[in-house]
Amino acid sequence: MEALLLGIIVVLLSAVLASRYLFRRFRSRNFFYYQVLSILIVATLAVLFRRSFSPELSAEVRPFILLAMGWLGLYSGLFIGLQEFRRFRFSTWIYSISDTLLVFSLYFFMSFSFLYMLTSSSYHAGIGSAVLALGAIEISPLAVSTLRHLQLKDSSFGVFLQSLAGMSGIMTILLMGLLAPMTHAQNLLQFGGSLLLQISMSIVLGLVAVFAIHDLKHSRDFIIWIIGILMIGSGLAMAFSFNAIFVNMIIGMTVSTFSMRRDTAKKLLEPLEKPVFLFLLLFAGLNMQVNGWFILFATVMILFRLMMKYFSFKYFYGTATATAPAVRELAPAIIPFGNLSFTVGIYLLMVVPGEFSSWILGALFAQYIFGFSIAGFAVRNKEQGS
Amino acid sequence: MIKFLLILILTLLAWTARMLPDTVFFPDSVVGGADSGTLVLGLLLVSAWVFGTGTKKIHIPMLSGFLLYGMVAGPHGLGLIKAADLDMLRFTDFFALSLIAITAGGELKISSIRSQISLYSFLTGGQFLIVGSLMTALIYLIRPHVPLFAEQSGTVLLVMALITAVMAVANSPATVLAVMKEQDAKGPNSELLLGVAVFIDIFIILIFAVLIAGGLAVIQSDGGHSILEAGFSIFSHIFLSVIIGLVLGGILIIGLRFLNYNLTMVLVLLVVAAYLFVQIMHLEAMLTCMVAGFTVQNFSRQGEQLIKSAERSSMPFFIIFFTLAGAKLDFNILRDSWPIALTLVGARILFIYAATWSSVKLAGGSRPTRSYLWMGYLAQAGVSLGLVSIFRESYAFSWAQELATLFIAVIAVNQIIGPIMLKYALYKLKEIPG
């Protein structure tokens, strides 16, 4: 435990100090360096301390991981009440669903073939490729920052891509929630029952939160209820082998739909964003393992993902709303993987602990870092070109 | 009422989850293992809060509601919080205690202490001298009537009497701080109350450690422990706790200068660092954190800002700390030992009244301070329970186990009456607004 804590302190301090001071110069030129170098520092230092991270210690940290994942779901859910759903155009919905299904199924198929060749286990190949495919769906929220960088944020294309980035996150979480009961259901009936229970339990918790917060006056009372419900949601999700992110997203959506206080909840949860991601990155770094084949495969898949995203946009939707130059701008914006990509890997590690999950996490993490690096270069080249 | 209904729904959901682990439908369920910590923590946070707001409505401090919920839901009550959960939540408990200790240390301002130095000295000294000596005398006085004391030899009885005396002086700065923050109490008496409670706590940790080691050396005269050796070990241990507290305070000041954009992050890092040092060097966690808080408050410009930030986010930690403290209490103990436990509680109240009254009178304090301040020193909580567990672990004798059980019974009663009396005192001293 001492070595772990020492590791945590060193890693957190280095990451915070490095990102704040050492790379300020880079940041002003190109924000990607700032992101990538922080992530690399966290990952490298985390790997150095990984040896001291035993399964027992992993169990002690588990509640905090659950909380962090729950936070992700709840915070995302608070932005997507039913009223927000109506704001998305029908064509955006169609595109998002098509894109999700296309990327997920092609990515799943390729990953399954590769993993089955490597492990000869259909269970491992199935669960591993589902996680890799889930990690590939989300367009990073940083796509929006890229657009800002390219001064395209307020264009019709920029607004559209922002909607897509949000939708891709929702789709990832929805698929995670749908797939979670598969880890334990033995037949279709059990799967259906489990899914129904997952959704109804989340709605009940969401309604409890709505009733609990509707007359609260003090922010102190508010934070106690929100954090309490978040903990209960995450704890119950793991108890029933559900997905903590999905359960909390439904809670957040219920609050967002039925409560007038959703903005207060958002404001209270917002300051936790940096600590949550730092903690998840750290945990991912401590648990991932590097397997050469997996990393090679992951690198190839980044390009495959880019092609799929680009073509799905261009042929499914692009011609209808965006102009041809805007489509060309899309490439650097969609390269970075979303934060959910490595979170999916952490979820796998919690459900199926072992070396295989650590390799998958390593592959996802490599994709995450490579994605940022490539996008960084792409944006810089674009800047120099213009 | 609707909030009670809501926590009933949440409790039912949690209870169902905990009852189902091995059923056909959820073969992979892990609740009862590592994940129940998150569920229990969430449940106790909202439920204890609702209990607290309920007790507040009948003019009893919320703190008592948290304790009450802990007792009802704890392993000795309904069992919603199991003994294994308490083990699992050790780090969370430490986290809460550390933040409370940092805040308590940060409430001590040198300028304020200097202006009331005579009151601080007389009150701290008075509690130890008067309460300590009277309690020791009482043990000898009741010895013939209590089999636990009557059966012991002279040396053992002396050790028992001295440990009982020190336990009687122990109070709870965490309770004082929690009630003060809850009631928004401000004024010279509140500052005095908390400051003296912190000082007493620091001395208690020191004296108790010396007494435990010294007592063991005297009782096991063939055990190879000399009193001098034990004394040196204790002093170096305490000295190290203070030094590390100062170092952490220094780091915190530097951290604040560089990272003041994120106070929460700084506090979290400090608590993790404190936990690390406490685990490696076996330090006194409460003392180390209080010294760190004191250092930041008095030797940096940003200290005030940090302590205020800690205060603002302190309520969830108060809830966790006091609910877990309540869950650790077993009121069934009182069934067998209530006559002697209530005698000790009654005597302690009387002695604290006498000590506080005479100390304030000697230091020239005001009449209301003389009349009501004593009520603030009755509460006992986490630190007292910690001392009992140290005593229980250090003394593997049957009489020590019996005495420890008696202490827990006394603490249980003091934990209930303490916050109520404290709130009344603050009200009478006109330090609660409105």
Side-chain angles (χ1 to χ4, degrees), chain A residues 21-34:
Chain A
Y21 294 102
L22 292 178
F23 305 112
R24 186 179 273 169
R25 198 168 62 86
F26 292 109
R27 191 187 173 196
S28 61
R29 277 178 53 201
N30 187 334
F31 80 100
F32 276 118
Y33 283 109
Y34 163 77

Side-chain angles (χ1 to χ4, degrees), chain B residues 48-72:
Chain B
W49 177 247
V50 172
F51 264 68
T53 43
T55 53
K56 195 180 179 182
K57 279 185 185 148
I58 50 170
H59 305 292
I60 291 174
M62 293 177 92
L63 184 59
S64 305
F66 307 154
L67 288 165
L68 187 68
Y69 178 75
M71 285 178 219
V72 172

Side-chain angles (χ1 to χ4, degrees), chain A residues 5 21 62 184 215 221 239, chain B residues 3 28-29 31 35 49 258 275:
Chain A
L5 287 166
Y21 294 102
R62 223 173 143 97
H184 61 86
D215 60 346
D221 308 8
Chain B
K3 298 281 192 301
D28 298 332
S29 186
V31 157
D35 292 317
W49 177 247
F258 287 99
Y275 185 69

